[in-house]
């Protein structure tokens, strides 16, 4: 799969594209992802940062130090608040795109559950 994936927020103010193949697809059950997504877990595709770019608008960033000690920058739409993607300080080569923001989320195939200690029953 070499096609360029596209996606964006609920209101359409922020759009992005991501080229290349997903490096890893996961469901994250950490408490930060639960709060930031408003859901039980976060479904994310880790894509090569080199192939990722914003094509419309400018997301706002929320930066927080995770329990792991890593700095996590979460990008969201300043207008509608949709969470879009995140970056982890230790892996600047990757972007974690929230699967639900893809124009075609059906390509998402989770390979692992992470932070299952805080997963909801
Ligand atoms: Zn929006
Ligand atoms: Zn998480």
């Amino acid at each position: 799969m070499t096609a360029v994936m596209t996606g964006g927020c609920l209101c359409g103010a922020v759009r992005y594209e991501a080229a290349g193949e997903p490096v890893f697809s996961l469901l994250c059950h950490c408490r930060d992802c639960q709060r930031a997504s408003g859901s039980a877990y976060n479904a994310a595709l880790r894509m090569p940062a080199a192939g990722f770019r914003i094509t419309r608008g400018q997301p706002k960033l929320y930066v927080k130090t995770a329990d792991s000690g890593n700095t996590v920058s979460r990008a969201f739409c300043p207008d509608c608040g949709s969470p879009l993607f995140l970056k982890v300080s230790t892996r600047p080569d990757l972007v974690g795109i929230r699967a639900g923001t893809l124009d075609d989320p059906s390509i998402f195939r989770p390979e692992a559950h992470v932070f299952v200690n805080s997963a909801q029953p």
Side-chain angles (χ1 to χ4, degrees), residues 9-14 77-82:
C9 65
L10 183 59
C11 77
V14 180
C77 173
D79 291 334
C80 70
S82 303

Side-chain angles (χ1 to χ4, degrees), residues 26-34 42 74 86 114-115:
L26 64 125
L27 300 173
C28 184
H29 298 266
C30 82
R31 288 292 292 132
D32 284 358
C33 280
Q34 288 172 5
N42 172 35
R74 289 180 164 81
L86 60 80
V114 300
F115 291 103

Side-chain angles (χ1 to χ4, degrees), residues 38-87:
S39 185
Y41 52 82
N42 172 35
L45 289 88
R46 290 183 183 155
M47 295 291 295
F52 181 85
R53 67 185 186 100
I54 303 293
T55 54
R56 183 195 301 164
Q58 188 61 52
K60 202 168 172 183
L61 287 181
Y62 176 69
V63 181
K64 183 178 190 291
T65 302
D67 292 342
S68 59
N70 298 328
T71 302
V72 180
S73 304
R74 289 180 164 81
F76 60 96
C77 173
D79 291 334
C80 70
S82 303
L84 288 160
F85 59 90
L86 60 80
K87 289 183 174 178

